[in-house]
Amino acid sequence: MNATAHGAAEQVPEQMLPLDLQTMRETALRALGKGSENLSQEELDSLTRALRGMLALAIPEVTAAADKHPQGDVPRICALVGVEEASRHLRARPVPAASPWAPRQAQRLARSVMALTDHYVNLGGRA
């Protein structure tokens, strides 16, 4: 790595971009909507990877937003429960796209993406 590239890497902020809630929701709806059972194995694999990546980005953001609220705050509690469920889905071993269980796994991930986007907004995140 040359000095210019190294210097640029040091200037990248920790939080690069806000969550793109619209894209996250649209992607999740692809897994939850009609026609999702007709996705090719490649499309299903790509969709599942995208959903997993979205959860990996959303979990720390929702957690940080929840941490700004008081301990007994109901939206905070609900968001942290959603974070825990999303974390469990993320820790689950990925199912091969050829498996009959792959669409169900994608749907579980998609429901968690939808839930985390809602929690993020409820906690004061930008929609």
Side-chain angles (χ1 to χ4, degrees), residues 28-69:
L29 287 174
R30 281 195 62 216
L32 297 171
K34 289 185 178 182
S36 62
E37 65 278 352
N38 297 327
L39 293 173
S40 71
Q41 288 181 9
E42 292 162 353
E43 291 171 318
L44 185 58
D45 184 56
S46 176
L47 180 60
T48 300
R49 288 175 190 263
L51 292 166
R52 291 178 69 81
M54 289 174 182
L55 286 177
L57 292 173
I59 287 170
E61 292 296 323
V62 173
T63 301
D67 287 344
K68 295 177 184 175
H69 290 258

Side-chain angles (χ1 to χ4, degrees), residues 49-105:
R49 288 175 190 263
L51 292 166
R52 291 178 69 81
M54 289 174 182
L55 286 177
L57 292 173
I59 287 170
E61 292 296 323
V62 173
T63 301
D67 287 344
K68 295 177 184 175
H69 290 258
Q71 289 285 331
D73 188 51
V74 173
R76 178 185 192 274
I77 294 167
C78 292
L80 292 175
V81 169
V83 163
E84 180 55 37
E85 183 174 346
S87 296
R88 278 194 309 274
H89 293 315
L90 210 51
R91 286 190 305 266
R93 180 179 301 176
V95 176
S99 168
W101 297 105
R104 293 184 83 152
Q105 184 179 51

Side-chain angles (χ1 to χ4, degrees), residues 95-119:
V95 176
S99 168
W101 297 105
R104 293 184 83 152
Q105 184 179 51
Q107 290 170 348
R108 280 192 295 275
L109 293 168
R111 284 191 293 273
S112 283
V113 167
M114 293 296 283
L116 290 187
T117 60
D118 290 343
H119 290 309

Side-chain angles (χ1 to χ4, degrees), residues 17-34:
L17 298 171
L19 295 176
D20 184 351
L21 301 180
Q22 181 178 350
T23 299
M24 292 172 72
R25 289 175 175 152
E26 289 171 358
T27 304
L29 287 174
R30 281 195 62 216
L32 297 171
K34 289 185 178 182

